[in-house]
Amino acid sequence: MIQQNLVKVGMADLNIATDGAVLKTTGLGSCVGLTLYDPIKKIAGMAHVMLPSSDIARETTFNFAKYADTAIPELLDRMIAAGAHVVRLKAKMAGGAQMFAMSGQTDSLRIGPRNVESCTAVLNRFKIPIVAQDTGGSFGRTIEFDSAKGMLAIRSVQFGTKEI
């Protein structure tokens, strides 16, 4: 999906897109690329979530986009300010891989699965349905979300490109 109007979303970052712009993030391993979409207003949002909970935050300058529990509410606020309505929002997500296999894994090493669980819990709190997802596995992904069509394209070296 090559578009002239590309909005890049970095790691631990979020942004919104309108007017047919495409949101793109790369480097999704254990991170989750979460997208929200208002199909009537054609407003899209994307967050590149690194960690499940801000409870573990230690940085001096807090980055709300880094954590599922703070990134999703911030993304919602930005989308609502742009004219989206929460009752129409649909979510799609990709990533949340378990990048390294380790024996006797503790919960703290399950970052990918915990990111997916945390994103799902926050979306449930706002009653936003997850209409499609490509999560888990042990491989990285790059995603692009088309704000005109509401389509999420997922690319990986192992599986090529698919759209959900």
Side-chain angles (χ1 to χ4, degrees):
M1 188 185 311
I2 298 173
Q3 296 277 338
Q4 289 180 315
N5 194 2
L6 187 66
V7 178
K8 293 185 179 177
V9 177
M11 186 178 290
D13 189 16
L14 55 83
N15 213 330
I16 66 169
T18 59
D19 301 321
V22 173
L23 291 156
K24 178 179 182 175
T25 195
T26 60
L28 292 174
S30 60
C31 297
V32 167
L34 174 85
T35 64
L36 297 176
Y37 187 60
D38 181 330
I40 303 299
K41 294 284 189 166
K42 301 207 181 298
I43 299 170
M46 179 183 286
H48 185 131
V49 174
M50 284 182 65
L51 293 167
S53 173
S54 60
D55 291 343
I56 61 170
R58 300 286 182 255
E59 62 262 33
T60 54
T61 305
F62 183 75
N63 179 357
F64 54 82
K66 188 174 186 178
Y67 308 96
D69 65 329
T70 54
I72 296 170
E74 175 65 22
L75 188 59
L76 280 170
D77 288 347
R78 290 189 189 189
M79 292 181 71
I80 290 164
H85 292 277
V86 175
V87 295
R88 292 194 301 246
L89 292 179
K90 310 266 185 260
K92 294 182 181 181
M93 65 178 157
Q98 183 64 42
M99 296 303 289
F100 306 102
M102 299 182 189
S103 61
Q105 286 187 34
T106 64
D107 199 46
S108 64
L109 297 176
R110 296 180 52 252
I111 300 295
R114 286 177 48 225
N115 281 339
V116 172
E117 291 161 8
S118 185
C119 286
T120 300
V122 174
L123 291 169
N124 286 340
R125 193 172 81 219
F126 288 101
K127 296 180 176 43
I128 298 171
I130 300 168
V131 296
Q133 64 181 315
D134 181 39
T135 56
S138 58
F139 56 92
R141 297 164 172 94
T142 292
I143 62 171
E144 294 182 5
F145 191 84
D146 184 331
S147 70
K149 299 175 186 168
M151 188 62 62
L152 180 63
I154 304 155
R155 281 196 321 273
S156 66
V157 172
Q158 294 83 344
F159 301 105
T161 301
K162 71 177 178 179
E163 292 184 339
I164 59 174

